Amino acid sequence: MANVLFLIKTKSNPSQIYVRFYHSKDFDLNAKTKFIVDPKLWSKKQQRVKITSDNAFDRIINPKLLKLKEDIILNYNLDFNSGKRIDKDWLNKIIANFHKQPLKESDNYKLFFVPFFEKYIEDSKTRINIDTGKVIGDRTTSKYGTTLKRICEFETNSQTKLRFSDIDLNFHKAFVSYLANELFYNGTNIQKHLNIIKGACREARTQGIEVNNEFEHRNFSFKREKTHDTYLNIDEISKIYNLDFSNNERLDNARDWLIIGVWTGLRISDMKRLSNVNLKSNTIEIETTKTSAKAIIPIHKDVKSILSKRNGNFPRPISDAKFNKYIKEVVTEAKITKKIFGGKMIEVKLPNGEKTYRKINDYYSKSELITSHTCRRSFASNHYGHLPNKTIMAITTHKSEAQFERYLKQSQMEHVEKMREYWESENKKNEDDN
């Protein structure tokens, strides 16, 4: 005969309520239910909290004890029939699942989002990207770490501990509000954080962890802001190329890298890896770090000139930070200082008094907005309309037209000038025909 009984074992207040589950001589198991009660309110005969008018324990605990009893019997019928061992560990697991709590602290990651995310980041250091066949890059792992930091701050700020069941549209609304109103993040950065959270939720689901499917809802997103990154046109590139930095090796080195960048379209992470090994006859060949795609780029005459000046070698290696700093000086020396609309990192004061940097859109001198991204965007923008998109994409290794078009930064007035030149050309052609 099988039975489920509830009891308390001490007279101390509060006392733990235990459950006893036994079946003839097969087993006799005892475990803590995790419910506690004043012994004076416990009915040993009825195995429940006494029903009184001056406390609410009976209305809270009694229905849950009844449900726990049902869960134990249901799981016994399922598990015994499938050959599982029915022992104290089994009973403790039933109780932990009933309370939606991990059985062990080491299992926290199966229930709470932050412990899983920490494990997700650690695993990413050896996880293979199925698109590239390579280990997830340090830069991506660093982005995961930033998102984790924001989530931990959000938990502290909202005095909550996020479970996977909490990652829903209500969380989305509160988290977006926190990023936008407390940390002054723009739409693009907010969407990046949300994408990383969604990626972690998908990984959790593949590991059999129960997640809230609202993270897949179309509203679990945020509109990216239109980027205003600048680019250098052909005339500006020519001015920079012709600058004389013979007495300034630092700027000469940075200028040469800038020219190589605008005529190869490479990301800074790939450009700084260039060496003589990548020179193949009249092309530069390199496997890109981000996509593992092979880029084969004809060597532009300006690049050939730089290599010739340096005895066939590329310029001296330079860090990303120094490159971004020095090329602003280079562009200033070229007197490219027209004010344009764009985003610049500006120090801001957060509501909590902390100072940080955020990209603020406004009108700035073009030289202030030049970064390593300018190279790749300049390459795409200057060749757009002169070569088929597929040809340019074969060099930049963009996989889609939409992805490629995000790099096109020609201003509206430049398009207007192109239209005017085209009409004038057509008018002249008609006049000649007549």
Side-chain angles (χ1 to χ4, degrees):
M1 176 181 176
N3 204 356
V4 177
L5 304 176
F6 295 104
L7 63 150
I8 60 174
K9 298 182 178 182
T10 69
K11 294 183 179 180
S12 59
N13 183 23
S15 286
Q16 180 77 232
I17 300 176
Y18 285 79
V19 60
R20 179 187 175 198
F21 179 40
Y22 62 90
H23 189 287
S24 300
K25 296 181 179 180
D26 295 337
F27 57 80
D28 192 344
L29 309 174
N30 281 268
K32 295 177 180 179
T33 65
K34 308 300 182 184
F35 292 113
I36 55 176
V37 69
D38 183 343
K40 294 178 182 179
L41 299 177
W42 181 254
S43 171
K44 181 178 179 181
K45 181 179 180 180
Q46 295 181 325
Q47 300 174 52
R48 67 180 185 181
V49 179
K50 296 175 183 177
I51 300 174
T52 61
S53 59
D54 57 350
N55 79 79
F57 288 104
D58 60 308
R59 295 190 295 276
I60 295 172
I61 296 177
N62 289 343
K64 291 188 181 296
L65 292 177
L66 182 60
K67 179 65 171 63
L68 177 58
K69 181 176 181 178
E70 292 174 355
D71 273 16
I72 291 171
I73 295 171
L74 173 63
N75 280 281
Y76 169 76
N77 287 325
L78 292 171
D79 293 345
F80 181 79
N81 188 55
S82 63
K84 289 186 178 180
R85 184 180 178 86
I86 307 300
D87 55 16
K88 189 171 182 177
D89 287 341
W90 173 88
L91 182 57
N92 281 325
K93 185 176 181 181
I94 299 301
I95 295 169
N97 288 339
F98 175 81
H99 289 292
K100 292 184 171 56
Q101 293 287 347
L103 189 59
K104 300 176 292 185
E105 188 173 345
S106 60
D107 288 333
N108 274 346
Y109 76 94
K110 297 178 181 178
L111 183 63
F112 294 101
F113 186 70
V114 166
F116 174 84
F117 200 23
E118 290 172 339
K119 184 175 181 298
Y120 176 70
I121 294 172
E122 186 61 30
D123 291 347
S124 72
K125 296 175 182 178
T126 56
R127 190 167 65 249
I128 302 297
N129 184 322
I130 59 174
D131 292 327
T132 65
K134 294 184 177 181
V135 175
I136 303 295
D138 291 342
R139 188 174 177 184
T140 299
T141 304
S142 177
K143 290 178 181 177
Y144 292 168
T146 301
T147 299
L148 172 62
K149 186 177 181 181
R150 297 290 87 85
I151 293 172
C152 290
E153 291 170 352
F154 172 79
E155 284 192 333
T156 301
N157 192 61
S158 57
Q159 297 183 328
T160 188
K161 188 176 181 182
L162 292 168
R163 298 167 179 262
F164 275 102
S165 58
D166 296 326
I167 309 300
D168 56 12
L169 291 175
N170 287 328
F171 159 77
H172 167 271
K173 182 179 179 180
F175 188 58
V176 165
S177 176
Y178 172 70
L179 294 179
N181 299 325
E182 298 294 323
L183 301 183
F184 301 153
Y185 275 127
N186 61 29
T188 299
N189 278 323
I190 290 173
Q191 181 59 34
K192 287 178 180 178
H193 286 303
L194 292 176
N195 284 342
I196 289 173
I197 290 171
K198 292 165 80 168
C201 287
R202 292 189 187 99
E203 176 63 22
R205 191 163 57 190
T206 65
Q207 294 183 22
I209 295 174
E210 187 176 345
V211 301
N212 191 319
N213 289 327
E214 285 189 10
F215 83 87
E216 295 277 26
H217 195 281
R218 62 186 299 271
N219 290 339
F220 200 100
S221 62
F222 202 79
K223 186 176 181 181
R224 287 175 176 264
E225 294 183 0
K226 182 180 178 181
T227 58
H228 299 283
D229 302 296
T230 189
Y231 86 106
L232 295 165
N233 61 37
I234 300 295
D235 290 340
E236 291 167 335
I237 293 172
S238 179
K239 286 181 181 179
I240 293 167
Y241 175 77
N242 288 312
L243 286 171
D244 182 6
F245 286 128
S246 55
N247 295 321
N248 191 327
E249 193 276 336
R250 174 177 62 88
L251 294 186
D252 187 60
N253 190 74
R255 184 270 312 276
D256 287 357
W257 273 127
L258 178 58
I259 295 299
I260 291 171
V262 299
W263 290 127
T264 61
L266 290 171
R267 298 178 182 88
I268 184 65
S269 57
D270 296 318
M271 190 171 69
K272 62 196 284 188
R273 292 167 46 229
L274 289 175
S275 70
N276 291 358
V277 175
N278 303 107
L279 297 174
K280 310 290 184 182
S281 185
N282 288 316
T283 62
I284 293 173
E285 298 182 16
I286 187 170
E287 184 179 293
T288 59
T289 302
K290 185 174 182 178
T291 63
S292 293
K294 187 175 183 180
I296 303 176
I297 310 160
I299 303 178
H300 188 272
K301 64 179 181 63
D302 291 353
V303 178
K304 286 182 180 179
S305 176
I306 289 170
L307 293 173
S308 176
K309 180 182 76 172
R310 296 178 175 274
N311 299 316
N313 297 313
F314 283 95
R316 174 176 49 80
I318 185 173
S319 69
D320 294 11
K322 287 184 178 179
F323 180 67
N324 283 324
K325 179 181 179 181
Y326 296 164
I327 59 176
K328 288 178 174 61
E329 293 182 54
V330 168
V331 175
T332 299
E333 289 293 324
K335 300 190 179 351
I336 302 172
T337 56
K338 177 182 177 182
K339 286 203 169 185
I340 61 172
F341 192 76
K344 180 183 175 183
M345 298 300 287
I346 300 291
E347 186 178 71
V348 297
K349 190 174 183 179
L350 301 178
N352 63 5
E354 181 184 342
K355 290 183 179 180
T356 188
Y357 285 86
R358 291 288 182 265
K359 183 177 279 191
I360 306 297
N361 289 330
D362 203 343
Y363 282 91
Y364 304 100
S365 167
K366 193 168 191 177
S367 59
E368 295 179 83
L369 301 176
I370 299 297
T371 69
S372 59
H373 293 296
T374 303
C375 298
R376 190 164 166 80
R377 296 183 188 281
S378 299
F379 181 89
S381 299
N382 287 324
H383 290 96
Y384 179 66
H386 299 284
L387 292 171
N389 286 359
K390 293 293 184 183
T391 299
I392 307 172
M393 290 167 60
I395 304 296
T396 61
T397 68
H398 282 110
K399 293 182 178 180
S400 69
E401 292 267 354
Q403 192 182 51
F404 166 70
E405 286 176 1
R406 283 203 294 269
Y407 269 82
L408 303 178
K409 294 297 170 183
Q410 292 180 333
S411 70
Q412 184 176 12
M413 285 309 299
E414 285 176 306
H415 287 297
V416 169
E417 288 301 319
K418 284 186 177 182
M419 179 64 76
R420 182 181 290 115
E421 289 172 7
Y422 171 74
W423 283 349
E424 289 176 354
S425 174
E426 288 298 301
N427 289 338
K428 188 175 186 306
K429 195 182 297 181
N430 290 334
E431 289 172 3
D432 292 341
D433 291 341
N434 292 330

